[in-house]
C-alpha cells in the first residue's frame, strides 16, 4: 500500500520547509521527508548571510519577527577594495536599503522546521531517507523511503527535490547537471564577544583573488571567513589556526580575533564545485541547492533557496491540486528561474580564482567613490536587480564618469582608511 499526497518534498531545510509550508497554505497535502531525525538539526557548512532577496519570502512565511526576537541581525555591508571601502548607505531622499538577516543556521533551521511541523496539511516525516523514485509511463509518480529499516512508498502528483547540493532526487531522475570547478577554498569560524563595527555591519574584503568576511550574528557571535585562492591551500593547511588568524590580521580594519573566544572548530570546504541542474521534468522539480549550488563566496544560496521554493509554489500550487496543467506550470517555474542565469554566469567566471576583470574594476572602483554607485552595487549583490540592470549602458556610463571625475579631482577621493 502507498500513501497519497499532492506534493512530496524531499529535504526539510530552507528550501524544503518553505515549499511545504507555502503549498499547504494553498490547500495542498504535502509529505515533507528528511533523512535526519532531529528537529533541531541544522546545516553546519554555512556562513549565515541571508541576502535581502530572501526577505520577502521570510516575511511571507511570517518568521521575521521570530528571527529578530532570536537575535537575527538585519544585515548591511561594507566592502573593502583596493580603491577604498564601498559604503552603501540609505539615500536620505529614497527608501531605506533593503536587508536580509545574519542568523546562524542553528537558529534558523529549527524555526523553519517547527513552522512546517505546525502547518496543517504538512506531514513532516523525519528520519526518512528517500532512495528511489517511482515512475510510470516516463513520469515520476512517487518515491520510496527507508526509515529505521522499514520501507515506505508515497505517491504524489509532484516530487520536489529540496535535498541540497548532492540532490538524491536530481540523481534518481537523471537531471542533467553542469559543474564548474571552484578555484578558491574556504575556512570559517565562530567567535564570541568580538568588538562589533558600528551598526553591526558585515565587513567584506576583496583582496583579489582572496576574499574575507566578518559577519555579526545572533548570540553575540561573529562569523569570520577566509576564502583564499587554491594555490595557497597546502601552505594554509600546514597550520590551520595560525594561517586563519594571520589571514584575518592582514585584512584592513578586521576585528582583532584575540579579543574574542573561538567557539567550536575552524571548518570549511576545500573542493566546492558550482552545480546547476535541469530544474524540472515530468512529475518532478528541484529547488534550492538541488537546482543550483553556487559559490559560497557570494552568500546567495539561502536567499535563492527561499525564492526558488516560493516561485515553484506560485507557479504550481493550483496544478498539484489537480486544478491545472502541471507540465505547463513547471515550465513557468523554469522561466522564473532563468533570471538566476546571469548571476551564475558572473559567479562561475569569478570562481576561477582570478582577480577582477576590467568591468569589475570599473564597477567596484566607482562604487567605492560614489554613494549612488555604492547603493547600486549593494542592490546587485543583494540579488534584487539582475545583471542587465547592474551593467546597463547608463550604469556603465555613470561608473565611467565617476571614475573620470575622480581622476580629475583626486582631492575628493574617498580615503582607503577605516571602515
Ligand atoms: C562553506 C559554505 C558557506 C555558505 N555560506 C552561505 C551564506 O553565507 N549565505 C547563503 O545564502 N548561503 C551560503 N551557503 C549556501 C547555503 O548553505 C545553501 O545554499 C543552502 O543551505 C541551501 O538550502 P537547501 O534547503 O536548498 O539545501 P540544504 O540546506 O543543503 O538542505 C538539504 C536537506 O535535504 C536533506 N536530504 C538530502 N538528501 C536526502 C535524502 N536522500 N532523503 C531525505 N533527506 C535528504 C538533508 O538532510 C538536508 O536537510 C554556504 C555554503 C557553504 C558550503
Amino acid at each position: 500500500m502507498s500513501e497519497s499526497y499532492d506534493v512530496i518534498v524531499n529535504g526539510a531545510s530552507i528550501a524544503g520547509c518553505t515549499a511545504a509550508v507555502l503549498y499547504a497554505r494553498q490547500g495542498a497535502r504535502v509529505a515533507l521527508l528528511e533523512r535526519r531525525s532531529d528537529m533541531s538539526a541544522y546545516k553546519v557548512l554555512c556562513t549565515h548571510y541571508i541576502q535581502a532577496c530572501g526577505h520577502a519570502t521570510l516575511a511571507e512565511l511570517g518568521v521575521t519577527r521570530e528571527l529578530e526576537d532570536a537575535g537575527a541581525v538585519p544585515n548591511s555591508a561594507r566592502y573593502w577594495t583596493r580603491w577604498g571601502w564601498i559604503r552603501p548607505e540609505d539615500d536620505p531622499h529614497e527608501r531605506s536599503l533593503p536587508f536580509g538577516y545574519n542568523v546562524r543556521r542553528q537558529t534558523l533551521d529549527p524555526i523553519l522546521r517547527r513552522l512546517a511541523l505546525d502547518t496543517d496539511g504538512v506531514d513532516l516525516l523525519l528520519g526518512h531517507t528517500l532512495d528511489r523514485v517511482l515512475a510510470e509511463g516516463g513520469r515520476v509518480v512517487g518515491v520510496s523511503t527507508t526509515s529505521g529499516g522499514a520501507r515506505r512508498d508515497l505517491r504524489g502528483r509532484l516530487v520536489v527535490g529540496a535535498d541540497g547540493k548532492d540532490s538524491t532526487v536530481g540523481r534518481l531522475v537523471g537531471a542533467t547537471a553542469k559543474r564548474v570547478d571552484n578555484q578558491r577554498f574556504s575556512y570559517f569560524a565562530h567567535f564570541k564577544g568580538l568588538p562589533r563595527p558600528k551598526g553591526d555591519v558585515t565587513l567584506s574584503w576583496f583582496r583579489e583573488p582572496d576574499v574575507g568576511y566578518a559577519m555579526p550574528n545572533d548570540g553575540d557571535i561573529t562569523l569570520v571567513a577566509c576564502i583564499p585562492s587554491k594555490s595557497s591551500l597546502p601552505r594554509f593547511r600546514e597550520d590551520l589556526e595560525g594561517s586563519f588568524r594571520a589571514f584575518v590580521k592582514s585584512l584592513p580594519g578586521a576585528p582583532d580575533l584575540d579579543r574574542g573566544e573561538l567557539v567550536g572548530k575552524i571548518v570549511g570546504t576545500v573542493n566546492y564545485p558550482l552545480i546547476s541542474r535541469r530544474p524540472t521534468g515530468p512529475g518532478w522539480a528541484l529547488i534550492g541547492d538541488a537546482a543550483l549550488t553556487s559559490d559560497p563566496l557570494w552568500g546567495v544560496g539561502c536567499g535563492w533557496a527561499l525564492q526558488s521554493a516560493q516561485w515553484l509554489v506560485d507557479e504550481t500550487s493550483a496544478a498539484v491540486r489537480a486544478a491545472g496543467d502541471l507540465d505547463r506550470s513547471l515550465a513557468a517555474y523554469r522561466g522564473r528561474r532563468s533570471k538566476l542565469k546571469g548571476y551564475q554566469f558572473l559567479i562561475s567566471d569569478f570562481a576561477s580564482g582570478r582577480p577582477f576583470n576590467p568591468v569589475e574594476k570599473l564597477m567596484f572602483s566607482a562604487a567605492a567613490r560614489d554613494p549612488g554607485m555604492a547603493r547600486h552595487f549593494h542592490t546587485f549583490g543583494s540579488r534584487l536587480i539582475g545583471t542587465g540592470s547592474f551593467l546597463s549602458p547608463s550604469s556603465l556610463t555613470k561608473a565611467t564618469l565617476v571614475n573620470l571625475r575622480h581622476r580629475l579631482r583626486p582631492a575628493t577621493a574617498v580615503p582607503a582608511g577605516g571602515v
Side-chain angles (χ1 to χ4, degrees):
M1 284 289 285
S2 56
E3 299 147 79
S4 262
Y5 291 88
D6 295 319
V7 190
I8 299 161
V9 179
N10 191 45
S13 180
I14 296 180
C17 291
T18 302
V21 168
L22 297 179
Y23 270 128
R25 287 184 187 166
Q26 296 293 322
R29 243 198 110 217
V30 186
L32 175 58
L33 310 173
E34 171 54 52
R35 66 182 168 198
R36 293 176 296 179
S37 43
D38 181 359
M39 267 303 279
S40 54
Y42 61 93
K43 187 166 188 276
V44 172
L45 283 179
C46 193
T47 52
H48 324 307
Y49 191 97
I50 302 184
Q51 297 286 357
C53 66
H55 190 279
T57 308
L58 291 171
E60 172 84 24
L61 289 170
V63 295
T64 51
R65 183 70 183 271
E66 189 176 354
L67 289 173
E68 290 186 14
D69 287 349
V73 177
N75 52 26
S76 55
R78 301 280 180 274
Y79 311 86
W80 185 92
T81 71
R82 61 172 129 147
W83 303 278
W85 284 96
I86 300 173
R87 299 179 178 88
E89 305 278 4
D90 288 336
D91 182 334
H93 307 297
E94 287 179 24
R95 66 193 163 89
S96 296
L97 277 180
F99 63 89
Y101 291 103
N102 289 0
V103 55
R104 287 174 299 163
R105 295 294 295 268
Q106 70 189 75
T107 305
L108 173 69
D109 292 14
I111 287 177
L112 294 179
R113 207 166 294 119
R114 217 171 307 116
L115 179 68
L117 179 72
D118 292 343
T119 300
D120 286 344
V122 177
D123 282 351
L124 174 59
L125 303 175
L126 296 178
H128 282 65
T129 301
L130 183 155
D131 61 357
R132 289 182 205 160
V133 293
L134 312 175
E136 282 170 9
R139 210 175 169 85
V140 171
V141 294
V143 302
S144 187
T145 73
T146 58
S147 176
R151 184 158 286 286
R152 188 166 174 180
D153 288 355
L154 310 173
R155 292 177 73 89
R157 269 173 72 74
L158 180 64
V159 171
V160 178
D163 42 8
K165 167 175 152 296
D166 301 316
S167 176
T168 308
V169 171
R171 176 171 52 79
L172 293 173
V173 300
T176 48
K178 187 177 158 210
R179 288 167 69 97
V180 173
D181 281 342
N182 194 336
Q183 293 303 331
R184 290 187 182 81
F185 63 97
S186 65
Y187 281 108
F188 65 91
H190 297 87
F191 286 84
K192 195 167 182 70
L194 281 185
R196 294 185 174 209
K198 199 168 152 238
D200 276 354
V201 289
T202 286
L203 302 180
S204 323
W205 291 267
F206 285 90
R207 305 276 317 252
E208 302 180 64
D210 299 348
V211 175
Y213 287 106
M215 318 197 210
N217 270 266
D218 57 301
D220 192 22
I221 292 289
T222 298
L223 183 300
V224 182
C226 308
I227 313 180
S229 152
K230 258 192 186 170
S231 55
S232 57
L233 180 59
R235 214 166 4 97
F236 201 97
R237 275 171 138 178
E238 278 170 18
D239 168 15
L240 181 59
E241 186 168 343
S243 305
F244 187 92
R245 287 180 181 273
F247 183 99
V248 176
K249 209 168 223 154
S250 74
L251 303 172
D256 177 359
L257 298 186
D258 293 337
R259 294 178 65 189
E261 175 202 345
L262 173 62
V263 179
K265 289 183 183 165
I266 298 172
V267 293
T269 56
V270 296
N271 187 22
Y272 205 79
L274 288 61
I275 305 171
S276 36
R277 294 188 177 87
R278 182 177 170 80
T280 64
W284 60 268
L286 305 178
I287 55 178
D289 271 16
L292 180 59
T293 302
S294 196
D295 189 344
L297 187 154
W298 298 99
V300 289
C302 299
W304 288 352
L306 290 160
Q307 283 188 294
S308 60
Q310 186 160 24
W311 296 336
L312 181 67
V313 176
D314 284 352
E315 298 300 340
T316 62
S317 67
V320 294
R321 287 174 287 127
D325 179 340
L326 182 56
D327 290 339
R328 189 183 283 202
S329 309
L330 288 171
Y333 164 64
R334 219 167 45 239
R336 296 270 297 267
R337 293 192 58 85
S338 59
K339 67 174 84 160
L340 301 184
K341 283 186 183 159
Y343 299 127
Q344 187 67 0
F345 174 79
L346 298 183
I347 290 173
S348 301
D349 192 49
F350 196 65
S352 62
R354 60 167 176 73
F356 290 149
N357 65 27
V359 175
E360 287 157 354
K361 283 183 195 165
L362 173 70
M363 299 309 278
F364 277 74
S365 58
R369 291 166 178 157
D370 179 83
M373 289 305 295
R375 280 191 293 276
H376 184 62
F377 173 87
H378 184 67
T379 312
F380 175 70
S382 305
R383 311 300 157 177
L384 287 165
I385 56 170
T387 43
S389 304
F390 181 55
L391 299 175
S392 69
S394 66
S395 301
L396 293 171
T397 307
K398 184 162 184 217
T400 307
L401 289 174
V402 164
N403 284 338
L404 269 177
R405 268 202 305 273
H406 172 80
R407 238 174 252 175
L408 293 173
R409 285 185 289 153
T412 63
V414 176
V419 179

